[in-house]
Amino acid sequence: MGKKKPTSTYDLRSNSEQEERHTMSVIVDNEPGVLARVIGLFAGRGYNIDSLTVSEVEHEKQLSRITIVTYGSPTVIDQIKMQLERLVPVHRVADLTAEFGELGAIERELAIIKVAGKGNQRLEALRLAEAFQAITIDATLESFIFQITGRTREIDRFISLMSHVGLVEVSRTGVAALKRGAEGL
Amino acid sequence: MQDKISGAEMIIKAIADQGIDSVFGYPGGAVLPIYDAIFQQEEVKHILVRHEQGAGHAAEGYARSTGKTGVLIVTSGPGATNTVTALTDALLDSIPIVCISGQVPTHLIGSDAFQEADTVGITRACTKHNWLVKNIEDLPRIMHEAFYVAKSGRPGPVLVDVPKDIQFALGDYQNLNKIKHKTYNPILNPDEIQIKRAIDLLLNAKKPIVYSGGGVINSGKIASDYLTKFINKTNYPITSTLMGLGAYPASEKNWLGMLGMHGTYEANMAMHDCDVMLCVGARFDDRITGKIDEFSPNSQKIHIDIDPTSINKNIKVEVPIIGDCGKTLKKLLDLLPDNIEKIQKPFTDWWDEIESWRKIDCLKYKKNADVIMPQLAVERLYEITKNYDTYITTEVGQHQMWAAQFYKFEKPNRWMTSGGLGTMGYGLPAANGVQVAHPKSLVIDIAGDASILMNIQELSTAVQYRLNTKVFILNNSYMGMVRQWQQLLHGNRLSESYSESLPDFIKLADAYGATGIRVKSPKDLDDTIIQMIETPGPVIVDCQVASSTNCFPMIPSGRAHNDMLLGEDVPDEVVANAISDDGKVMV
Ligand SMILES: Cc1ncc(C[n+]2csc(CCOP(=O)(O)OP(=O)(O)O)c2C)c(N)n1
Ligand SMILES: [Mg+2]
């Protein structure tokens, strides 16, 4: 049994498409359970989440903004956008990457990073932090906590360097994103 | 290195390695590889049900009557959604079951493929935990983890969703039965300091009481033995929840009967007036406490539970003890002074008081020479079957409460009922599950005329496997419990609670290839019960009982334990005004 791979009669989707990374902004009513609905959609349909942030952004109107970084083939990315739009408490979904391109949207993330060490290692950590324009927000004789803001890739790079000079732990906020220019969504 | 085997084969192997000899299920497109694997082996027997809900309850019956874990196998989409009621039932009653569901192949997940449902999403709220298997390498671990989670700590249902391509995929199987879990490791051994505090309280009690629950049953037979030893040593009165019946023998003198909404007068009065309460493996459910702020107002409470979230959830307690009931009772017995009779405060006054409540004889009912009273039917059933190796299941309604009140359970694991969820349709499939696990025993579903129709198709399963499952219907031609509440709450306007157009249960049994027997007169009752027992194969007894009997005693919702409605002498006006406006909003 199971000697050869099953050839499913249902197999419709071609797997040849390249996967892409997309950032989406989702404006939702800040009502109980809304985050669970969004996350449930991703889990139930097998979509990927690289990063997810959520916070109320307009108190009067009770609106929250969810920023999701996801990846998948272009067809899957389209599906994700449409599936999100179909959720009842969702006002608007913008695929920032698709609508405005890599350069059309600003993406920032904040991370705080704890390193511990002595002597040279400690100096090296400080020098690297300076080079990345990270600021020191806590210090003891054996440790620092740095705060860095920037694009995800920069932060990744900073953290990987820190792992050589006594990285202890990291906390990241996830991505916040806006489109460039005068207009809002 | 072993040869690689398919995911489907791994699933069956893992079930066998867990010591499970029978599974319940229903095939379909997304589980065909598993059914092919079932076909080619003999270690695990498959019982074909007639509806997936039935598979779930059968697995529950198998689990509750053996102390093992029940297993069901269902297909994707409708197969999986049909299990939701049974999974929820097992969650509320803490019954360990493992549901294996098929799923569309991994690359089709999310595409609304044929018979695709977000099974893990749908069942998240009705399982202890669930898994979607995305890689064949993970399957052996997840299978054994599923059994571990179902059975450890407070038991419950789990679900493993297996896409069809994973069932075909080849991989290495390992028996990971005895592996320490990386996150889920419930506390089993109680804190000794807390036990000593409990003993201090108990030794000074003037009005002690033990209130036990389903947790004692779940902890295994040994826990019931320790409980009995504990009562013998201390001479405390003991009552139990619906789920806990049988942990302490009902024929013993310290037994007060069940407590709660339809519990005995003596049990509820003793709970209300006690000064020290020892709760073992029960959870202060609203059917037990009645009005929360008047629940046992003058007692100090000790609560033994394996689930920390049960502690202080509904009722604040003085001494919480987190641990397995069996292990905790053992420790309690070990630390109890040997000469306890001499040290503890005497409580003969307390027993005198209890005796005076007992004298009320709260379960008495009007006898009738022409019509079978439902209480009499259960009493006779008990008298005639008590010397058999008997297991009782029930459906939900008045008949369930009469079964709990009038059938006396001497041993644990003999009583299967849907307590927390109150699922009509539980009893027949559960009885089949019990009968599969105990082929030679006498298994009886005490049923209602309405409930039995909810999973009547499972009679076909009983016929196919030559199970001896007996169905004893207390046929009152009403959804009796609904009718009773309509009388209590809604001016006796019996909206939609009459069992119109009931089938002829004799012909129905006949159509399935089972035997049907009807009884209408009290004088034929005993003979009918004997005939039921002696007839091989599945039997339905249509026991036609008095139609408008109410189930008493009763604590109407919103009232306190010492404020019960007693026996049949209650005039209709009292019944009609028993529930206040506040009480009416409660269920
Ligand atoms: C699945 C389900 N639906 C509805 C109910 C509500 N309910 C509780 S008891 C009952 C009536 C049961 O009637 P029957 O089986 O004839 O038992 P009786 O009370 O007459 O003994 C109903 C409808 C339930 N518990 N379960
Ligand atoms: Mg009825």
Side-chain angles (χ1 to χ4, degrees):
Chain A
M1 196 176 81
K3 284 276 141 56
K4 54 179 193 246
K5 250 205 155 243
T7 47
S8 170
T9 40
Y10 318 132
D11 201 346
L12 305 171
R13 197 184 287 170
S14 91
N15 290 323
S16 59
E17 292 177 309
Q18 277 288 324
E19 293 200 333
E20 298 171 358
R21 179 180 183 278
H22 281 240
T23 304
M24 300 198 187
S25 284
V26 190
I27 309 295
V28 299
D29 276 334
N30 184 14
E31 64 179 32
V34 63
L35 185 60
R37 286 180 205 277
V38 171
I39 293 173
L41 171 72
F42 275 71
R45 295 194 178 260
Y47 304 149
N48 306 297
I49 300 180
D50 264 358
S51 158
L52 182 140
T53 61
V54 54
S55 189
E56 189 175 70
V57 287
E58 284 189 60
H59 185 67
E60 302 289 84
K61 293 194 202 152
Q62 299 248 315
L63 290 182
S64 287
R65 186 175 186 121
I66 301 176
T67 309
I68 304 172
V69 181
T70 180
Y71 62 91
S73 65
T75 18
V76 170
I77 297 284
D78 282 350
Q79 269 291 314
I80 293 176
K81 177 160 189 277
M82 290 184 288
Q83 290 286 356
L84 282 168
E85 280 167 343
R86 209 163 66 147
L87 295 178
V88 173
V90 167
H91 287 265
R92 168 142 165 61
V93 183
D95 180 341
L96 299 180
T97 313
E99 287 177 43
F100 313 110
E102 281 275 321
L103 302 173
I106 302 282
E107 285 183 27
R108 287 296 178 271
E109 196 181 340
L110 182 146
I112 53 180
I113 293 144
K114 182 180 290 182
V115 291
K118 290 196 173 138
N120 250 349
Q121 207 185 29
R122 194 171 153 77
L123 280 179
E124 193 53 40
L126 259 187
R127 268 199 291 272
L128 283 167
E130 217 169 298
F132 275 77
Q133 290 176 339
I135 55 175
T136 308
I137 54 176
D138 181 65
T140 68
L141 289 176
E142 291 107 54
S143 71
F144 290 117
I145 297 179
F146 298 123
Q147 171 190 315
I148 178 170
T149 11
R151 298 185 59 105
T152 300
R153 235 176 292 144
E154 272 171 72
I155 294 178
D156 287 346
R157 232 159 56 78
F158 183 62
I159 291 169
S160 85
L161 286 172
M162 285 294 131
S163 67
H164 301 288
V165 291
L167 179 73
V168 179
E169 59 178 343
V170 179
S171 174
R172 296 170 75 148
T173 58
V175 172
L178 287 180
K179 67 170 277 218
R180 287 182 189 272
E183 295 113 56
L185 282 185
Chain B
M1 192 86 229
Q2 282 176 323
D3 281 349
K4 289 192 187 306
I5 61 171
S6 73
E9 288 167 317
M10 287 184 195
I11 288 169
I12 302 303
K13 229 170 157 24
I15 293 169
D17 284 344
Q18 288 285 339
I20 311 300
D21 49 32
S22 307
V23 301
F24 305 88
Y26 207 92
V31 283
L32 285 177
I34 301 179
Y35 275 81
D36 200 32
I38 288 173
F39 191 85
Q40 300 180 45
Q41 53 84 51
E42 276 169 1
E43 270 180 291
V44 177
K45 185 172 182 198
H46 179 270
I47 306 292
L48 177 70
V49 296
R50 299 301 189 266
H51 184 296
E52 290 86 351
Q53 183 189 354
H57 296 319
E60 288 186 90
Y62 178 93
R64 193 128 182 110
S65 66
T66 58
K68 295 202 268 187
T69 298
V71 178
L72 62 153
I73 300 173
V74 300
T75 194
S76 66
T81 57
N82 270 349
T83 66
V84 165
T85 303
L87 292 172
T88 313
D89 192 90
L91 185 70
L92 280 181
D93 284 345
S94 310
I95 312 294
I97 60 174
V98 174
C99 177
I100 311 292
S101 54
Q103 182 54 278
V104 302
T106 32
H107 64 276
L108 287 183
I109 289 176
S111 71
D112 295 322
F114 178 62
Q115 296 197 326
E116 177 181 2
D118 176 6
T119 302
V120 167
I122 290 169
T123 59
R124 185 168 296 123
C126 61
T127 52
K128 211 176 145 180
H129 193 61
N130 58 18
W131 296 259
L132 171 64
V133 185
K134 286 195 156 170
N135 297 298
I136 184 70
E137 297 78 48
D138 298 333
L139 185 60
R141 174 186 55 79
I142 291 177
M143 280 301 296
H144 288 288
E145 195 180 338
F147 278 93
Y148 168 79
V149 173
K151 197 82 177 63
S152 338
R154 180 176 180 175
V158 299
L159 177 140
V160 184
D161 202 24
V162 192
K164 197 170 177 180
D165 53 329
I166 304 290
Q167 297 171 32
F168 274 121
L170 297 177
D172 297 315
Y173 173 77
Q174 250 185 303
N175 182 358
L176 303 168
N177 203 337
K178 298 258 159 4
I179 278 198
K180 188 169 154 55
H181 198 271
K182 63 181 191 300
T183 50
Y184 184 66
N185 293 296
I187 299 170
L188 303 179
N189 290 310
D191 179 356
E192 218 171 286
I193 297 173
Q194 292 298 83
I195 298 210
K196 287 186 178 145
R197 285 184 58 207
I199 291 176
D200 279 346
L201 272 187
L202 290 167
L203 291 180
N204 287 306
K206 293 192 198 72
K207 301 172 166 195
I209 190 164
V210 175
Y211 140 51
S212 72
V216 180
I217 314 273
N218 279 336
S219 177
K221 195 178 168 306
I222 190 95
S224 299
D225 294 344
Y226 288 135
L227 182 66
T228 307
K229 274 204 194 116
F230 178 79
I231 297 295
N232 290 344
K233 201 159 174 188
T234 57
N235 194 31
Y236 294 158
I238 174 167
T239 176
S240 132
T241 65
L242 181 73
M243 296 308 293
L245 297 178
Y248 180 82
S251 59
E252 294 284 338
K253 64 176 189 351
N254 292 41
W255 175 242
L256 304 186
M258 179 175 78
L259 83 159
M261 183 172 271
H262 291 289
T264 66
Y265 185 67
E266 51 271 35
N268 286 330
M269 289 301 283
M271 284 290 279
H272 187 268
D273 285 6
C274 68
D275 65 352
V276 176
M277 177 189 296
L278 173 63
C279 167
V280 197
R283 59 186 176 93
F284 298 95
D285 167 84
D286 57 79
R287 296 291 100 155
I288 295 306
T289 59
K291 194 174 183 188
I292 286 274
D293 36 355
E294 289 175 38
F295 173 72
S296 195
N298 305 313
S299 62
Q300 297 203 284
K301 301 173 185 76
I302 303 158
H303 186 183
I304 300 171
D305 207 299
I306 202 161
D307 176 5
T309 69
S310 287
I311 306 243
N312 289 336
K313 181 174 63 180
N314 300 333
I315 296 286
K316 286 255 173 303
V317 298
E318 280 70 24
V319 184
I321 305 176
I322 295 162
D324 166 69
C325 287
K327 293 191 189 327
T328 308
L329 284 167
K330 170 155 196 314
K331 195 97 222 160
L332 191 60
L333 275 167
D334 288 349
L335 295 178
L336 217 56
D338 285 334
N339 54 344
I340 177 153
E341 318 81 69
K342 301 211 182 88
I343 305 176
Q344 70 185 358
K345 288 246 157 64
F347 44 90
T348 41
D349 290 354
W350 178 228
W351 270 115
D352 290 346
E353 213 171 337
I354 290 172
E355 282 313 324
S356 72
W357 293 324
R358 267 183 176 157
K359 285 216 183 67
I360 305 274
D361 192 9
C362 67
L363 293 177
K364 70 170 174 283
Y365 56 93
K366 281 200 196 109
K367 303 272 166 11
N368 190 317
D370 306 318
V371 194
I372 301 174
M373 295 303 285
Q375 299 95 325
L376 176 77
V378 180
E379 272 183 328
R380 295 314 304 159
L381 190 70
Y382 168 68
E383 285 303 328
I384 296 170
T385 60
K386 69 179 176 194
N387 294 324
Y388 287 80
D389 176 23
T390 312
Y391 292 80
I392 301 288
T393 72
T394 75
E395 306 290 336
V396 170
Q398 291 181 317
H399 62 276
Q400 177 189 29
M401 293 299 121
W402 283 316
Q405 291 172 338
F406 290 91
Y407 204 99
K408 299 191 177 61
F409 294 93
E410 298 294 307
K411 291 189 234 165
N413 306 98
R414 298 287 169 151
W415 163 247
M416 328 313 122
T417 195
S418 170
L421 194 64
T423 312
M424 291 169 72
Y426 167 88
L428 174 53
N432 283 343
V434 176
Q435 192 80 76
V436 165
H438 309 273
K440 300 224 163 68
S441 305
L442 176 61
V443 184
I444 307 171
D445 170 27
I446 299 181
D449 46 283
S451 296
I452 192 62
L453 293 179
M454 286 223 175
N455 273 322
I456 189 67
Q457 76 287 344
E458 296 308 316
L459 196 55
S460 198
T461 307
V463 171
Q464 178 181 347
Y465 295 94
R466 298 186 178 79
L467 303 175
N468 288 315
T469 317
K470 313 298 181 201
V471 180
F472 190 82
I473 305 176
L474 298 183
N475 182 353
N476 53 11
S477 312
Y478 276 101
M479 298 172 195
M481 191 57 95
V482 173
R483 188 201 53 70
Q484 178 168 347
W485 279 61
Q486 288 173 331
Q487 191 182 353
L488 281 160
L489 261 79
H490 297 284
N492 207 28
R493 289 179 294 279
L494 304 186
S495 178
E496 308 292 327
S497 57
Y498 179 63
S499 290
E500 186 76 56
S501 306
L502 275 182
D504 179 332
F505 286 112
I506 311 307
K507 285 191 188 150
L508 185 74
D510 193 42
Y512 275 107
T515 309
I517 315 171
R518 181 168 293 125
V519 58
K520 292 178 173 175
S521 164
K523 67 177 186 337
D524 301 327
L525 186 57
D526 284 13
D527 287 346
T528 306
I529 294 170
I530 292 166
Q531 192 188 343
M532 171 187 86
I533 298 169
E534 289 177 352
T535 307
V539 178
I540 292 187
V541 174
D542 178 10
C543 178
Q544 305 202 338
V545 297
S547 65
S548 316
T549 316
N550 284 332
C551 183
F552 290 119
M554 177 176 187
I555 304 176
S557 35
R559 292 234 205 141
H561 271 177
N562 59 349
D563 197 6
M564 305 190 78
L565 290 180
L566 283 171
E568 282 290 70
D569 307 325
V570 186
D572 283 353
E573 320 84 80
V574 175
V575 173
N577 298 314
I579 298 186
S580 68
D581 286 347
D582 285 351
K584 280 183 186 168
V585 299
M586 304 179 69
V587 285

